[in-house]
Every structure is written in C-alpha cells, then in structure tokens.
Amino acid sequence: MQTLKLGVYLPQKSHENDHGSIHTPLSNRMPNQEIRSLLELLSNSGKFELIEIANLNDLIIINETVFYKDTVLNDLDVFFWYGEVGRDNGTYSLDVLKALSHTTKVVPNPYSFEVGLDKYISHILLKRMGVSVPELVLLSSSNVHLAKPILDE
C-alpha cells in the first residue's frame, strides 16, 4: 500500500488553559493531548508519511516552491492546517498557505478562508450566487459623513 505524504500544522498551546481568543479565526482550541493523540494515530497508521510544521513562519518560498527545512512541501499529497493565522491581507502565514495551494491540496483552502474573513467580498460572492443579502454601503471610516445622504434615502 502506498503511503500518502501529509503535512500538518496543528500548533499546540503554550499553556493548556489557553483556549484562544473568540475573535481569532481557527484559534486552535483543541487540547494539546488531543493534538498529540491525533498525530500519534496518523504516524502509527502506516498510511501516512507525516510532516509536522510547528510554525508557518519557518516555511520559505523560493519562486513557486515551498520549503520546510530540507523538505519540499509542494511534493505533499495534502496539507492540513488548523491554527491561528493572521487575518490581514499580505500576512505571511496566509500567503505561504496560498502559495502551497497552487500545487498541493491544502485543507482548508486558504483562498476560501480569506474570503470568509472579508465581509465585502463575502457579501458580493453571496449576492452573485443568488443568496438574498441586505444592501451594503462600504466607505472609509474617515468619511462616515458620506453615509448620511445614503441613509436619508
């Protein structure tokens, strides 16, 4: 039986009582013992060649190739991640996941994750798909006064 090359990013909490912030997406709320048990099951199954990533900032992109130490992650069959990543556009952890997703199945898809973080893009995509959504007004916080004429209608 052929083994699947599986990369995982399942960061463990530095303190077991750290439950993550409710304001951060995919904060790893899994107890450390559950993470260790899952990784042990995967390692001992004989079905996976497991590459564990402790920190996405340790990954390096050279052209279109994503490296972790001496390992080319683009050669993985699947990369699974469940952990806190930056929410801003251009955040390195999200960029490295997107770069990897061009050649490797990344779960969850970082592009879909990014869309879910952007209220405007989510709104537009839902509307295009025929989902009933309320009207949306988007303006800069420095120009809130521009909303008055629109809201007066």
Side-chain angles (χ1 to χ4, degrees):
M1 179 197 291
Q2 184 178 349
T3 59
L4 290 175
K5 294 180 182 178
L6 173 64
V8 294
Y9 170 64
L10 291 169
Q12 296 188 34
K13 299 176 202 72
S14 55
H15 297 85
E16 195 62 42
N17 359 340
D18 174 13
H19 298 291
S21 166
I22 60 170
H23 301 291
T24 53
L26 287 182
S27 289
N28 199 340
R29 294 185 176 99
M30 291 174 62
N32 288 349
Q33 182 55 45
E34 295 300 319
I35 294 171
R36 288 190 290 271
S37 294
L38 174 61
L39 293 174
E40 186 177 333
L41 281 170
L42 292 170
S43 292
N44 295 336
S45 71
K47 297 178 182 181
F48 301 100
E49 179 184 329
L50 193 62
I51 307 293
E52 294 177 53
I53 308 298
N55 187 332
L56 293 175
N57 290 327
D58 293 338
L59 304 182
I60 298 171
I61 305 168
I62 300 175
N63 297 318
E64 297 179 18
T65 307
V66 181
F67 291 91
Y68 176 64
K69 300 179 180 175
D70 292 333
T71 303
V72 176
L73 296 184
N74 304 73
D75 294 337
L76 296 171
D77 294 301
V78 178
F79 186 84
F80 174 77
W81 64 283
Y82 183 80
E84 186 176 331
V85 297
R87 300 174 77 159
D88 297 328
N89 190 15
T91 300
Y92 186 75
S93 54
L94 199 51
D95 284 347
V96 78
L97 290 167
K98 290 190 298 188
L100 184 59
S101 75
H102 290 279
T103 58
T104 303
K105 175 95 174 150
V106 176
V107 179
N109 181 305
Y111 286 99
S112 299
F113 176 80
E114 186 176 48
V115 166
L117 293 176
D118 188 315
K119 291 176 186 165
Y120 176 71
I121 298 297
S122 296
H123 178 89
I124 296 302
L125 289 175
L126 288 170
K127 187 173 183 175
R128 286 182 186 163
M129 298 301 292
V131 176
S132 178
V133 293
E135 273 192 53
L136 173 73
V137 176
L138 182 65
L139 48 93
S140 169
S141 60
S142 63
N143 288 322
V144 174
H145 67 279
L146 295 176
K148 184 172 178 13
I150 298 166
L151 297 174
D152 285 343
E153 289 180 10

